[in-house]
Amino acid sequence: MISSSKGKRRCSGFTLAETVIALGILVVLITGFMAVFAPAARTISKALSADEASRLEASLADELTRVRTGREQDLYDSSFEKAFDWIISSHERNGAIVVYKYRALPGRSRPDGTLEAAPRELGISGKDFIIKPMVRRLRDPYLQEDLEVVEGRAFFVKLNQMIFEGG
């Protein structure tokens, strides 16, 4: 407490008016920051989504150009035959294509050459497990195992054959 020259005592601190003015300034500043950073956050989110879509698309293109060891070798003589079958049957229930990222165990391959799914309990990405993009059909026996440790979203894909008609 401070004593005035007349002997009256006055409490030190902020008045109600000063506090309201300070809060008003704070609200104006926060509103300004939100106006600037909200569009930036949306732009970053769109860029990350586009990057994820690009990686998943590349994984789909890669999968269509490879005949995996095991069962696929019995079904297809070439990657063209596989891609054609996947395009034709992607509209059927069991032929639907699922594209996703999952937790995989590095160095632990399945009979088809893909990496085994990592249990959820493993905690350090890059050390205990890696995040791997994957493309499978609904009838694939490993799909359910992968979906239990999926990271992010999974997408159903229906492929269409483009037909060139001259010109």
Side-chain angles (χ1 to χ4, degrees), residues 98-136:
V98 184
V99 182
Y100 56 93
K101 295 182 298 185
Y102 75 109
R103 292 173 173 230
L105 292 169
R108 305 254 316 259
S109 295
R110 297 172 175 146
D112 70 347
T114 62
L115 296 177
E116 289 182 19
R120 279 259 179 228
E121 302 82 52
L122 297 180
I124 301 174
S125 179
K127 178 183 173 204
D128 299 327
F129 65 91
I130 60 173
I131 304 297
K132 181 91 173 109
M134 183 53 62
V135 179
R136 295 199 184 277

Side-chain angles (χ1 to χ4, degrees), residues 1-2 6 29 32 35 39 43 47 58 67-68 79 107 133:
M1 296 209 198
I2 301 173
K6 295 183 181 179
L29 289 174
T43 302
V67 177
R68 295 198 176 275
S79 58

Side-chain angles (χ1 to χ4, degrees), residues 14-31:
F14 296 106
T15 65
L16 179 61
E18 291 170 330
T19 305
V20 169
I21 290 171
L23 285 174
I25 292 170
L26 186 63
V27 166
V28 168
L29 289 174
I30 289 175
T31 303

Side-chain angles (χ1 to χ4, degrees), residues 3-155:
S3 298
S4 66
S5 59
K6 295 183 181 179
K8 293 183 181 177
R9 299 177 81 186
R10 191 179 81 168
C11 294
S12 63
F14 296 106
T15 65
L16 179 61
E18 291 170 330
T19 305
V20 169
I21 290 171
L23 285 174
I25 292 170
L26 186 63
V27 166
V28 168
L29 289 174
I30 289 175
T31 303
F33 284 132
M34 293 300 290
V36 171
F37 290 118
R42 280 193 297 274
T43 302
I44 290 169
S45 177
K46 284 180 184 179
L48 291 174
S49 292
D51 185 49
E52 178 184 16
S54 177
R55 287 184 186 161
L56 292 175
E57 181 271 331
S59 297
L60 177 60
D62 181 55
E63 183 64 32
L64 291 176
T65 61
R66 134 188 345 205
V67 177
R68 295 198 176 275
T69 57
R71 186 172 176 262
E72 279 192 0
Q73 286 177 321
D74 298 336
L75 294 174
Y76 307 114
D77 292 328
S78 68
S79 58
F80 175 81
E81 206 175 287
K82 175 185 175 178
F84 188 77
D85 178 52
W86 280 41
I87 291 168
I88 297 298
S89 63
S90 69
H91 295 270
E92 300 168 4
R93 178 169 162 62
N94 282 340
I97 299 169
V98 184
V99 182
Y100 56 93
K101 295 182 298 185
Y102 75 109
R103 292 173 173 230
L105 292 169
R108 305 254 316 259
S109 295
R110 297 172 175 146
D112 70 347
T114 62
L115 296 177
E116 289 182 19
R120 279 259 179 228
E121 302 82 52
L122 297 180
I124 301 174
S125 179
K127 178 183 173 204
D128 299 327
F129 65 91
I130 60 173
I131 304 297
K132 181 91 173 109
M134 183 53 62
V135 179
R136 295 199 184 277
R137 290 168 50 165
L138 277 180
R139 64 176 161 240
D140 192 306
Y142 296 117
L143 177 64
Q144 187 61 41
E145 185 181 326
D146 288 354
L147 289 179
E148 290 175 12
V149 291
V150 76
E151 289 288 321
R153 300 172 284 186
F155 301 93

